[in-house]
Amino acid sequence: MSTGSGTPSAPAPTAPTTPARKSSMFSSLKVRNYRLFFVGQVVSNTGTWMQRIAQDWLVLSLTGSSAAVGITTALQFLPMLLFGLYGGVLVDRLPKRPALLVTQSSMALSGLALAALTLTGHVQVWHVYLAAFFVGLATVVDNPARQSFVSEMVGPDQLHNAVSLNSANFQSARLVGPAVAGLMITGVGTGWAFLANGLSFAAPITSLLLMRARELFPVKRTPRAKGQLREGLQYVAGRPELIWPVVLVGFIGTFGFNFPVWLSAFADNVFHVGAGGYSLLNTLMALGSLGGALLAARRGSARMRLLIFAALTFGVLEIVASLAPAYWLFAVLMVPIGICGLTVNVTANTTVQMATDPAMRGRVMSLFMMVFMGGTPLGAPVIGWITDTYGARAGFALGGVVSALAAGTIGLILARVGGLRLSVGWHGGHPRLRFVQRKREELATAV
């Protein structure tokens, strides 16, 4: 591993995995600081999901356009695309807890401002665009800071479990947030959902203030120096175990995770089920994602082959869902899509974090988040335009096709880098496909 300076040495050709081990599903919650963080995030994430549902529905109500929903999503993630790498450099230089206090407070102000505009009847679509962009700016620092801070709270032994529980936390809130948002939108209006989100940030801010600094696992901060951004890119580019998971989540984040565009269009234009039906789709997907996160926490390890398999299945399921003839079938498919999507996210996240030098983690995770979330400004408007022009089914199917092709291609590349080949055979009377180590003669011929 690099120490954070100079050009990293060449890696071994095979991509490592975290060591397999049994893990208690909630073991990292024994750490007091992480337990405080977890509870604060439950409240804040619930508010965040309420705002996401209310924001998408408000834009659709104001404009009647799926493309406008896509633009809103794009603006929220555009800062990550433009400034994400610089955010990672900044995070490696800053103490994580004070940085998070600033970013969480900024996002609270955005939610409160949007609530005031909506509740007073003055909201316009450009206000929502501006609020989404402002939240995106705060996210540039907030995301890599939160990702890096997890290891400082729990240490390396509990990192995989804590990353998985973070995802379970987020998806648990996704179960509650859309349901409450749906009730608020139909009952009292979108403004109250925005207000609830703004107030919810009091919980993570309080949890950060209550933490015991002496119980953290501090990482030595990187001093300010020239070339740190380039150094981070070179560090990732020289390691197959880092670059290919990042490339894969980039494709899936750009083309496969445009659910605000697709689900609102399916609910409004295909199945005509309104805001309640839209929130139910999000809730069912969250149920699957929560199951995927808890399985990941229990698994205790992250393997590259699981990442590829989950990404390939995710793409295929999106294609199948795009063809669903009835709302109930489409809704049921949201559960396995949620399981596979979350498995991709957690497995890639953990694989990258565990393979990264702590001094480089802010820059590496900012790159990870930049390609995963920052690709949305590129994909969401395109997917939104295709959805408006050719229909929701065509847009959803395209996202699934791209995700599946990316998973299959990168899986073959990793197999070749690791000296593996595809073996086709029979086992127990059934066909079996698997990767096996290539023979020495085959390796010599390939070289």
Side-chain angles (χ1 to χ4, degrees), residues 240-309:
E241 71 272 23
L242 295 180
I243 187 64
W244 290 116
V246 169
V247 170
L248 178 57
V249 298
F251 274 103
I252 291 180
T254 301
F255 297 101
F257 269 79
N258 291 285
F259 295 108
V261 177
W262 293 322
L263 299 190
S264 60
F266 268 89
D268 194 42
N269 302 324
V270 178
F271 298 120
H272 311 289
V273 292
Y278 174 52
S279 64
L280 177 61
L281 293 176
N282 282 276
T283 300
L284 289 171
M285 181 176 288
L287 184 64
S289 299
L290 175 60
L294 292 176
L295 288 173
R298 179 63 177 170
R299 194 176 298 119
S301 63
R303 297 184 180 276
M304 200 73 74
R305 63 188 179 189
L306 174 62
L307 172 61
I308 299 299
F309 177 77

Side-chain angles (χ1 to χ4, degrees), residues 108-358:
L109 291 175
S110 176
L112 294 173
L114 196 55
L117 287 168
T118 307
L119 290 172
T120 57
H122 293 94
V123 70
Q124 299 179 36
V125 69
W126 71 267
H127 293 143
V128 185
Y129 288 166
L130 185 62
F133 186 77
F134 183 80
V135 169
L137 285 175
T139 302
V140 167
V141 174
D142 186 79
N143 267 349
R146 277 191 295 109
Q147 298 286 341
S148 303
F149 191 51
V150 171
S151 64
E152 294 192 22
M153 286 185 286
V154 301
D157 292 343
Q158 295 288 349
L159 181 59
H160 177 83
N161 183 262
V163 169
S164 301
L165 288 183
N166 274 354
S167 296
N169 184 325
F170 190 67
Q171 302 307 328
S172 298
R174 192 176 176 183
L175 286 171
V176 178
V180 176
L183 292 174
M184 281 190 169
I185 292 170
T186 55
V188 294
T190 56
W192 293 100
F194 297 140
L195 179 62
N197 175 57
L199 296 176
S200 72
F201 283 97
I205 291 171
T206 301
S207 72
L208 288 166
L209 293 172
L210 291 175
M211 287 184 184
R212 296 171 182 164
R214 66 180 181 274
E215 295 179 7
L216 295 173
F217 296 80
V219 173
K220 185 178 180 181
R221 299 204 299 273
T222 303
R224 183 183 181 89
K226 291 183 178 180
Q228 290 177 329
L229 177 57
R230 182 176 64 253
E231 181 186 21
L233 293 174
Q234 291 174 341
Y235 180 87
V236 174
R239 289 166 166 76
E241 71 272 23
L242 295 180
I243 187 64
W244 290 116
V246 169
V247 170
L248 178 57
V249 298
F251 274 103
I252 291 180
T254 301
F255 297 101
F257 269 79
N258 291 285
F259 295 108
V261 177
W262 293 322
L263 299 190
S264 60
F266 268 89
D268 194 42
N269 302 324
V270 178
F271 298 120
H272 311 289
V273 292
Y278 174 52
S279 64
L280 177 61
L281 293 176
N282 282 276
T283 300
L284 289 171
M285 181 176 288
L287 184 64
S289 299
L290 175 60
L294 292 176
L295 288 173
R298 179 63 177 170
R299 194 176 298 119
S301 63
R303 297 184 180 276
M304 200 73 74
R305 63 188 179 189
L306 174 62
L307 172 61
I308 299 299
F309 177 77
L312 183 61
T313 306
F314 173 79
V316 171
L317 285 172
E318 286 196 337
I319 297 170
V320 173
S322 71
L323 304 174
Y327 174 76
W328 69 266
L329 180 58
F330 183 82
V332 167
L333 286 170
M334 292 302 103
V335 177
I337 287 175
I339 292 174
C340 292
L342 196 282
T343 302
V344 170
N345 191 2
V346 169
T347 306
N349 187 312
T350 308
T351 299
V352 170
Q353 287 213 51
M354 294 298 293
T356 301
D357 188 308

Side-chain angles (χ1 to χ4, degrees), residues 58 98 202 239 292 343 371-372 420:
L58 176 61
R239 289 166 166 76
T343 302
V371 299
F372 183 56
L420 304 177

Side-chain angles (χ1 to χ4, degrees), residues 96-110:
K96 308 301 184 295
R97 189 161 56 138
L100 286 171
L101 285 169
V102 173
T103 58
Q104 296 282 297
S105 299
S106 300
M107 289 188 281
L109 291 175
S110 176

